[in-house]
Amino acid sequence: MVTIPYFTALTTYFSYGVLFVFGHMRDFFRSFCKSDQGTPEGYAPLCRDFEDFYTRRLYHRIQDCFNRPIASAPDAWIDVIERYSNDNNKTLFQTGKINRCLNLGSYNYLGFASADEYCTPQVIKSLKSFSPSTCSSRVDGGTTVLHNELETLIASFVGKPAAMVYGMGFATNSTSIPALIGKGGLIISDSLNHSSIVAGARASGSKVAVFQHNTPSHLEDVLRTAIAEGQPRTHRPWKKIIVVVEGIYSMEGELCKLPEIVAVCKKYKAYTYLDEAHSIGAVGKSGRGICELLGVDPANIDIMMGTFTKSFGSCGGYIAGSKDLIKYLKSVSPGHLYATAMTPPGVQQVISALKVILGEDGSNRGAQKLARIRENSNFFRAELQKMGCEVLGDHDSPVMPIMLYNPSKIPAFSRECFKRNIAVVTVAFPATPLLLSRVRICISASHTKEDLLRALEVISEVGDMVHVKYFPVEPEKQQQPKEEKKLC
């Protein structure tokens, strides 16, 4: 967990306090301006209410740092369209000018999101054979031979008997979890799980308990207490218990302590649900994710979830598990029954990317990509730490957040990097706790050593400018000259 330095916490609280005071003052005076009232008389506010305060008074001031439109594929370098505002960022207009930037924000871990010598021709061929969309759900006319091929391929890849694919990564969690568990069940979720997991847990109607982030000992405490007490009021045994964790936590870059968590789940007979959105394809010697990296047998994971939007350069997601589980989900999951099926070109992109990773394209490019993403990630993380930045995450993770904390540093860091042709993603509330704003760096196998050195140079310069180097800079190790042999 992040521990905020005392002085940093004090200045961050003060900054937010000033923003909240002035924001409420502006809301107070705005209430007297009848011409600005958009709510019909007698109606409750539909959009403008206290819940929207952060968006109105904080986010709009710096919204030029978010949602920047791009005009190219999300490769190592991207074309970002410049924007301007005449009303203090309430509305933004495109200038038509394009800024060529080094891309440190996309989830393009293996570089498949841009044109690929093997994948792209296969995708174009599938577009000619099928269509851009199936225009139907999977249970109607939305299942093609490509969908069946991908489900077989992904099940084999992750080491499970069967799998099913969804058209949207977020919906994979948000529609599968309610199908797996309902009233009388207990979901125990990591405190920093993705919002798709949170949405699915809330929609399920189950009791939801939370354990401290990536802390197996606290998970065991929560499990033991929940089993001992049973359901609320009736104290009957839980119908089922599912523990939900992520392989790599997307806002922290941390690896899940999977072996310990699996051991706890086995001990208390709880099911394990593993979200591998950011780990599948990105970590492990052959790209098979967190299980391969940490030496966990996939047979010990009851439900394996992942997305195709990161390492595979496509869209959609999957659930892998036993044949009975997949058969059941295909009959009850709303994401399978009612949502439009994954597009055929998107399916083909994943199939082709998997074949490259497995070396079935007749080359060793897949192994090279996996080695490069690992080398790039570890090099970049080490250099950021050397320059004094507070970097979250673990070794081998391609996600590395740099802590900013203070709200004024969010736009300052983003804008100064953009001026220097570096595109970064700054993250703040509600995606993170209010005080823990950060810039999230995503490294790709498509980045060259020169790209990374250029990025480090800019981040170091901007880091000095906006004061985000919270730790002392590590002194460079000087090589000691070899002692010359004395002549006798």
Side-chain angles (χ1 to χ4, degrees):
M1 300 296 289
V2 181
T3 303
I4 312 177
Y6 178 78
F7 180 75
T8 303
L10 185 64
T11 56
T12 303
Y13 272 119
F14 178 78
S15 299
Y16 274 113
V18 171
L19 289 169
F20 277 117
V21 168
F22 278 92
H24 282 295
M25 287 176 61
R26 294 186 68 179
D27 276 358
F28 174 76
F29 289 111
R30 188 176 182 179
S31 64
F32 293 100
C33 182
K34 293 185 177 180
S35 61
D36 195 45
Q37 298 294 324
T39 304
E41 186 176 353
Y43 285 80
L46 184 61
C47 298
R48 286 188 61 245
D49 204 349
F50 179 77
E51 290 83 359
D52 193 42
F53 176 83
Y54 181 88
T55 302
R56 294 196 314 275
R57 298 306 179 199
L58 282 77
Y59 171 77
H60 279 166
R61 290 170 173 262
I62 60 173
Q63 70 168 327
D64 61 299
C65 301
F66 305 96
N67 305 318
R68 288 188 175 120
I70 66 173
S72 66
D75 203 355
W77 288 80
I78 54 175
D79 295 330
V80 184
I81 301 175
E82 295 182 1
R83 297 177 295 176
Y84 71 95
S85 176
N86 296 324
D87 53 5
N88 297 317
N89 275 347
K90 287 184 179 179
T91 52
L92 294 170
F93 303 93
Q94 297 182 10
T95 64
K97 296 181 180 179
I98 291 177
N99 195 10
R100 185 71 173 170
C101 295
L102 178 61
N103 181 11
L104 295 180
S106 298
Y107 306 135
N108 186 23
Y109 296 143
L110 295 184
F112 284 117
S114 57
D116 182 83
E117 60 186 77
Y118 179 79
C119 298
T120 304
Q122 300 294 326
V123 172
I124 294 173
K125 183 179 178 181
S126 71
L127 184 61
K128 294 178 180 179
S129 301
F130 297 93
S131 67
S133 172
T134 61
C135 298
S136 180
S137 67
R138 287 290 306 276
V139 295
D140 295 328
T143 298
T144 67
V145 291
L146 294 178
H147 291 83
N148 292 332
E149 181 182 355
L150 176 57
E151 289 178 342
T152 302
L153 189 59
I154 195 66
S156 173
F157 184 70
V158 301
K160 282 295 186 181
M164 60 186 295
V165 298
Y166 290 76
M168 180 182 178
F170 189 98
T172 306
N173 275 329
S174 63
T175 64
S176 293
I177 294 175
L180 288 169
I181 189 169
K183 188 176 180 180
L186 173 64
I187 295 174
I188 302 181
S189 177
D190 187 286
S191 60
L192 296 183
N193 271 340
H194 191 262
S195 61
S196 61
I197 295 173
V198 175
R202 288 175 177 172
S204 69
S206 305
K207 173 69 176 177
V208 180
V210 176
F211 69 97
Q212 293 174 5
H213 172 57
N214 219 11
T215 309
S217 59
H218 189 247
L219 169 62
E220 184 168 8
D221 292 341
V222 173
L223 262 170
R224 186 189 302 115
T225 303
I227 293 173
E229 294 181 353
Q231 297 185 39
R233 295 199 305 270
T234 64
H235 301 291
R236 293 175 179 172
W238 299 101
K239 292 181 178 179
K240 69 179 78 169
I241 301 175
I242 298 179
V243 175
V244 188
V245 294
E246 295 184 40
I248 294 179
Y249 290 89
S250 59
M251 288 299 169
E252 288 70 36
E254 294 178 355
L255 303 178
C256 173
K257 295 179 180 178
L258 193 59
E260 296 89 341
I261 288 174
V262 168
V264 172
C265 291
K266 292 290 183 183
K267 180 179 179 180
Y268 292 92
K269 304 298 186 289
Y271 293 108
T272 307
Y273 185 111
L274 175 63
D275 179 340
E276 287 216 83
H278 286 267
S279 55
I280 190 68
V283 296
K285 185 178 180 181
S286 59
R288 286 177 166 84
I290 195 74
C291 289
E292 182 181 42
L293 181 67
L294 301 182
V296 176
D297 188 348
N300 291 325
I301 309 297
D302 301 290
I303 306 108
M304 299 183 73
M305 176 269 177
T307 64
F308 303 126
T309 55
K310 282 80 176 176
S311 298
F312 305 101
S314 186
C315 59
Y318 69 86
I319 294 287
S322 66
K323 291 183 178 180
D324 288 340
L325 171 70
I326 300 305
K327 184 178 179 180
Y328 170 74
L329 281 177
K330 285 187 175 182
S331 65
V332 297
S333 175
H336 182 82
L337 295 173
Y338 307 115
T340 303
M342 189 175 173
T343 66
V347 175
Q348 182 60 60
Q349 168 66 25
V350 181
I351 293 173
S352 301
L354 277 169
K355 289 183 177 181
V356 173
I357 293 171
L358 294 170
E360 295 180 6
D361 65 326
S363 72
N364 65 341
R365 289 194 306 120
Q368 291 176 353
K369 285 177 178 289
L370 290 167
R372 197 178 304 121
I373 181 64
R374 183 168 56 253
E375 292 168 3
N376 286 353
S377 300
N378 293 334
F379 167 76
F380 203 80
R381 182 183 302 278
E383 293 301 313
L384 287 175
Q385 291 171 339
K386 286 179 184 177
M387 70 174 65
C389 294
E390 183 176 358
V391 186
L392 304 185
D394 293 317
H395 194 72
D396 283 349
S397 170
V399 182
M400 46 201 75
I402 304 172
M403 298 308 297
L404 300 178
Y405 297 117
N406 199 292
S408 62
K409 296 180 181 182
I410 301 171
F413 195 95
S414 178
R415 290 165 182 165
E416 291 301 324
C417 284
F418 188 62
K419 287 179 184 177
R420 293 161 177 78
N421 301 100
I422 302 292
V424 297
V425 172
T426 49
V427 187
F429 180 84
T432 65
L434 190 64
L435 301 184
L436 302 182
S437 59
R438 63 200 68 179
V439 54
R440 182 177 63 177
I441 304 296
C442 292
I443 298 300
S444 171
S446 60
H447 288 134
T448 64
K449 190 68 172 291
E450 291 73 22
D451 293 338
L452 300 181
L453 291 173
R454 169 60 182 161
L456 289 166
E457 179 185 348
V458 170
I459 290 174
S460 181
E461 179 184 351
V462 175
D464 289 329
M465 183 182 302
V466 301
H467 303 287
V468 297
K469 295 181 178 180
Y470 296 105
F471 298 132
V473 179
E474 292 185 11
E476 293 184 5
K477 295 181 180 179
Q478 297 181 353
Q479 294 182 350
Q480 297 180 353
K482 296 180 179 179
E483 296 183 0
E484 296 182 359
K485 293 182 179 179
K486 296 181 179 179
L487 298 175
C488 296

